[in-house]
Amino acid sequence: MSKQTLQLHSTELTIHSLDVDATIPPALLKESIFFIAKTADELSIVCPSSFTIDSLDAETDWQALEVIGPLGFSLTGIMANISGVLAKASISIFALSTYDTDYVLVKKHSIEKAISALKKDGYHVLGSTK
């Protein structure tokens, strides 16, 4: 399988943890990028750091690497391979998927190291910070 192309997004993101019954702020739906996940135990929102949410806890300073898609559902190992490269470089990630593609969130202070590791492994990365 050939290596995918990833696009670095410049928007700084925050991962929020909210009470499972918290109300999702309606203004969030107007943001250019956001992710919402809810289970019986938790509600998580990932959104631009510039958007204020009253959350129980928050992790700031993330940047997204988008796997350029769309990716077919029959493709296998994409996230496993990317996360494996980053794990070998001791880089922690937060992974997200949509219908069309995958996103790998990396702490801002580790983004250049992540891009370097991915490029060394044969991935193409667009929009690098250098």
Side-chain angles (χ1 to χ4, degrees), residues 23-83:
T23 300
I24 296 167
L28 177 67
L29 304 178
K30 295 184 187 227
E31 290 296 314
S32 61
I33 186 170
F34 64 89
F35 301 87
I36 300 170
K38 183 175 180 179
T39 68
D41 301 318
E42 67 173 314
L43 172 63
S44 297
I45 296 176
V46 178
C47 65
S49 297
S50 59
F51 187 84
T52 304
I53 295 181
D54 185 20
S55 54
L56 300 173
D57 201 4
E59 276 284 323
T60 61
D61 298 325
W62 294 88
Q63 277 189 274
L65 288 164
E66 174 186 356
V67 181
I68 300 299
L71 305 174
F73 283 101
S74 63
L75 296 175
T76 60
I78 293 170
M79 190 60 80
N81 291 337
I82 292 170
S83 63

Side-chain angles (χ1 to χ4, degrees), residues 83-93 106-107 109-110 113-114 117:
S83 63
V85 169
L86 297 177
K88 286 179 192 169
S90 299
I91 297 168
S92 179
I93 67 165
V106 175
K107 283 290 200 167
H109 66 79
S110 297
K113 183 178 176 185

Side-chain angles (χ1 to χ4, degrees), residues 6 65 82 85-86 114-123 125:
L6 295 97
L65 288 164
I82 292 170
V85 169
L86 297 177
I115 290 170
S116 177
L118 289 164
K119 285 182 174 180
K120 184 176 179 183
D121 199 66
Y123 288 91
V125 181

